[in-house]
Amino acid sequence: KRLEVKLHRGKAIEGKVVSAKGEVVKGTSVLLATMFESAVIFDGEYSEKVASKGYPWTRTDEAGHFSLPPREWKVKVAVVCEVGHAVVTGEELAKTGVITLEPWGRIEGVLMEGTKAVAGAKMAINNDNWIPPGEPDVNYQYYEPVTTDADGRFVFPRVHAFSTGIS
């Protein structure tokens, strides 16, 4: 018996990235996530310094366009840069071809013990990011702790919207 197999080239995952104001965003990191390939964003950044070997990612061109390799299973596309971030499903991207960034959030406050500000305390964000089995994994990680100043003030400058704990 003879088995005949025909391969068909998949369609690239393509789109354009714009800011919340609708402006083209060039040179920004665009990551592909699947259930087999995690997209991990470290302290609001993704670059050659933190890129996982073999995991697909690219940067937008001068017109804000990007192209990632085709995948047969569910995908999410994550975008991170100075002006903001976004995560969309492959289905959402296919509808418009445009990813609109959300501005980064910011967590700031004063660490108090009773009525006194605590100076010099190290604080970290604990991101509990559970992904259901079979779903693409985009994981925001916050590794760099911040230290409260002399008045107990602290700032986490680039944070996405999520439920968390601060320790």
Side-chain angles (χ1 to χ4, degrees):
K1 293 189 176 189
R2 182 178 158 182
L3 174 64
E4 188 172 317
V5 176
K6 289 186 180 185
L7 298 177
H8 300 279
R9 182 172 299 277
K11 186 176 184 290
I13 300 164
E14 299 178 320
K16 179 179 180 178
V17 177
V18 297
S19 70
K21 296 177 181 177
E23 299 163 338
V24 167
V25 180
K26 57 185 176 181
T28 191
S29 299
V30 182
L31 298 71
L32 180 63
T34 70
M35 66 180 162
F36 304 111
E37 301 159 315
S38 296
V40 182
I41 299 161
F42 296 97
D43 296 317
E45 296 181 15
Y46 195 85
S47 68
E48 291 88 353
K49 293 186 297 188
V50 298
S52 300
K53 295 234 185 259
Y55 286 64
W57 75 286
T58 189
R59 291 196 184 276
T60 55
D61 64 17
E62 292 294 315
H65 291 104
F66 67 88
S67 181
L68 292 162
R71 293 293 185 263
E72 290 296 319
W73 43 84
K74 285 187 198 178
V75 301
K76 285 185 180 175
V77 177
V79 181
V80 291
C81 66
E82 285 290 322
V83 299
H85 66 101
V87 177
V88 299
T89 65
E91 293 84 13
E92 291 167 334
L93 180 59
K95 288 179 187 174
T96 66
V98 176
I99 298 175
T100 303
L101 298 178
E102 299 175 21
W104 287 105
R106 179 180 173 98
I107 299 173
E108 59 183 280
V110 177
L111 180 62
M112 305 288 289
E113 188 172 324
T115 58
K116 295 186 179 188
V118 179
K122 290 207 181 290
M123 299 179 66
I125 295 176
N126 302 318
N127 184 11
D128 185 15
N129 188 34
W130 182 79
I131 304 297
E135 290 297 314
D137 181 12
V138 176
N139 195 341
Y140 288 81
Q141 295 291 320
Y142 299 94
Y143 288 120
E144 287 298 319
V146 298
T147 303
T148 58
D149 68 13
D151 298 318
R153 288 190 207 95
F154 65 89
V155 176
F156 294 96
R158 289 172 77 173
V159 183
H160 75 293
F162 67 104
S163 298
T164 188
I166 297 177
S167 59

